[in-house]
Amino acid sequence: MRRALALTLVAVLAAGFELVAQQVSSVPPPDADTSATSPAPAQPLFGARDLLQMRLAVPDLKKLVRDIEDENEDHPARLTYVNAMGDSVTLDIEVETRGNFRWQRRNCNFPPIRLEIPDSGVAETLFAGQGDLKLVTHCQDNKDEYEQYVLQEYLIYRVYELLTERSFQTRLARISYIDEKAERETLTKYAFIIEDHDMMAARTGCQAIELQAHPLEFSPQETTLMALFQYLMGNTDWSIAYLHNVKLMMCPDYEPVAVPYDFDWAGAISTRYARPDAKLNIRSVRERLFRGFCRPEEFFQQARQDLIEHKEEIYALYRNLEGLDPKVLEKTIEYFDDFYEIMEDDKKFKREILDECRRQ
């Protein structure tokens, strides 16, 4: 029975991948000249790491933050940022609320936002060619720790960028939210912008896809690295099989890759609202649980070595970020130290990772 089911799954997967392969047959290798076949993705927004100073003015800020129905609407807005020359640049855009957990008013009084950048009127600006962009916001207006959550989640994205180019780029911003009706006070908070899925895939020579498949069908090296990265961050809130907090892409060798996002339930942040899934049998998100699937040991050892080699760079990201609370920094470094004790000890690595990988 199990063998028959497995053979059926293989057949379904093969058919699915053949379809996707046909869709991406024109995707060139990463070092190919793509100018003749497709426009190069415009990424000036993510070409720098300095803090982006922005203003987001909307006609009715109260109406925007309360627009959390299934049929939420687009709201006109004016986005102003300071460019590298120190000049203010203003764009007419639209915004809408987005998200799931943080979109619910009982959890956040300020929802995540989507920036809808028009095709015209943005040439020669940071936002040229960007389309729609996710903006991760502060969630709660009057609680400083929620701004720390924003900085911490931004840093988790930055860590994954260190480990692989097949990751979402981000840009940290300090944003003033302005109500043009003047019925709500101006808020100035940290936020960060996340690269679009399609543009991330194109930047890495791949193509964004949506395909439900078993995790073992995905790139063994990238998937093992991602699983160890999630273990570093104490994040169990993800699943390749159920497409939960991962985006998929097919790369030139027709090997599907899963790219993680959305880390606010990670133990490295330990938000007030984060709770582990009861089925995982852990008491707190701070308690690490390895959720990667078993692969040949060579893939584990390569991913392990990658993380060890990037240790000082990872720590430096946290130590050098202005605005991060010293107590948050100290707590996070201690949490990472526990992880690296496992990575740097053969017996602990075998016990906590190799012996605990998922076999089905």
Side-chain angles (χ1 to χ4, degrees):
M1 177 71 175
R2 179 175 296 180
R3 177 175 173 79
L5 182 61
L7 290 172
T8 301
L9 176 61
V10 168
V12 170
L13 290 173
F17 286 135
E18 184 176 351
L19 278 174
V20 174
Q22 292 171 3
Q23 293 173 355
V24 299
S25 59
S26 62
V27 176
D31 58 350
D33 179 7
T34 61
S35 59
T37 57
S38 60
Q43 294 284 340
L45 177 60
F46 303 105
R49 294 299 187 186
D50 56 305
L51 183 68
L52 188 60
Q53 301 289 345
M54 293 173 50
R55 290 158 48 98
L56 190 65
V58 295
D60 190 336
L61 186 59
K62 185 182 295 185
K63 182 180 180 182
L64 171 65
V65 300
R66 290 183 174 178
D67 184 13
I68 52 176
E69 302 298 327
D70 289 338
E71 298 297 327
N72 57 331
E73 61 184 272
D74 293 338
H75 299 256
R78 289 184 298 112
L79 185 155
T80 302
Y81 71 92
V82 179
N83 66 18
M85 304 298 293
D87 301 322
S88 292
V89 179
T90 299
L91 308 175
D92 291 320
I93 68 169
E94 292 185 329
V95 296
E96 67 174 1
T97 57
R98 63 173 191 87
N100 293 306
F101 179 88
R102 283 178 278 192
W103 189 45
Q104 301 172 40
R105 192 156 183 82
R106 68 176 181 270
N107 299 320
C108 296
N109 63 21
F110 198 99
I113 290 171
R114 189 182 310 278
L115 307 176
E116 300 178 350
I117 311 298
D119 294 331
S120 61
V122 298
E124 306 301 322
T125 76
L126 282 182
F127 292 87
Q130 286 295 335
D132 292 353
L133 292 163
K134 292 180 180 178
L135 182 69
V136 177
T137 59
H138 56 278
C139 180
Q140 293 284 351
D141 291 348
N142 300 315
K143 296 178 180 178
D144 292 342
E145 66 187 310
Y146 280 80
E147 272 199 284
Q148 291 297 307
Y149 296 161
V150 171
L151 294 176
Q152 290 171 276
E153 187 173 6
Y154 163 74
L155 284 166
I156 294 178
Y157 278 93
R158 288 292 312 280
V159 169
Y160 201 60
E161 281 187 69
L162 283 178
L163 299 174
T164 173
E165 70 166 3
R166 292 173 174 179
S167 56
F168 285 102
Q169 293 184 333
T170 53
R171 183 73 181 269
L172 187 63
R174 188 76 172 159
I175 302 181
S176 294
Y177 302 94
I178 299 167
D179 182 8
E180 293 180 334
K181 291 180 66 175
E183 292 184 358
R184 181 167 174 157
E185 291 185 4
T186 297
L187 288 169
T188 301
K189 299 286 185 180
Y190 284 111
F192 65 89
I193 303 167
I194 304 175
E195 182 180 26
D196 173 74
H197 180 202
D198 288 317
M199 295 193 72
M200 179 270 293
R203 173 177 55 81
T204 58
C206 305
Q207 181 166 323
I209 60 170
E210 291 187 13
L211 176 70
Q212 260 189 308
H214 194 281
L216 289 175
E217 297 293 332
F218 286 75
S219 165
Q221 190 58 64
E222 294 280 351
T223 306
T224 304
L225 178 63
M226 184 186 74
L228 275 183
F229 159 78
Q230 301 278 27
Y231 187 72
L232 162 64
M233 296 304 170
N235 188 33
T236 58
D237 187 33
W238 62 279
S239 170
I240 295 176
Y242 294 100
L243 303 181
H244 179 58
N245 290 338
V246 297
K247 292 292 186 180
L248 309 184
M249 57 189 190
M250 186 70 79
C251 294
D253 52 4
Y254 302 124
E255 186 173 61
V257 172
V259 182
Y261 70 98
D262 200 352
F263 305 111
D264 64 313
W265 284 53
I269 305 177
S270 194
T271 59
R272 280 177 176 261
Y273 50 79
R275 300 287 185 275
D277 189 318
K279 295 191 292 290
L280 298 179
N281 219 15
I282 55 177
R283 294 169 294 178
S284 162
V285 293
R286 293 282 287 182
E287 185 177 346
R288 285 189 171 95
L289 176 68
F290 186 65
R291 303 200 66 226
F293 278 82
C294 295
R295 302 281 194 170
E297 187 175 340
E298 63 192 85
F299 295 112
F300 283 95
Q301 295 299 345
Q302 180 60 59
R304 175 191 184 188
Q305 190 60 37
D306 287 345
L307 282 155
I308 291 173
E309 289 177 356
H310 284 91
K311 177 180 178 180
E312 294 308 317
E313 290 178 88
I314 291 170
Y315 282 40
L317 280 176
Y318 281 77
R319 290 179 174 134
N320 295 334
L321 183 64
E322 186 176 349
L324 191 65
D325 187 288
K327 292 181 179 178
V328 170
L329 172 61
E330 180 181 8
K331 185 178 181 181
T332 305
I333 295 299
E334 289 176 355
Y335 192 65
F336 288 173
D337 284 344
D338 292 340
F339 169 83
Y340 277 104
E341 282 185 15
I342 297 170
M343 291 298 102
E344 294 166 355
D345 185 293
D346 289 342
K347 290 183 179 179
K348 290 181 180 179
F349 186 76
K350 182 178 184 302
R351 182 178 69 242
E352 301 296 334
I353 303 300
L354 299 181
D355 292 348
E356 293 299 320
C357 61
R358 299 168 65 185
R359 288 166 173 79
Q360 61 179 8

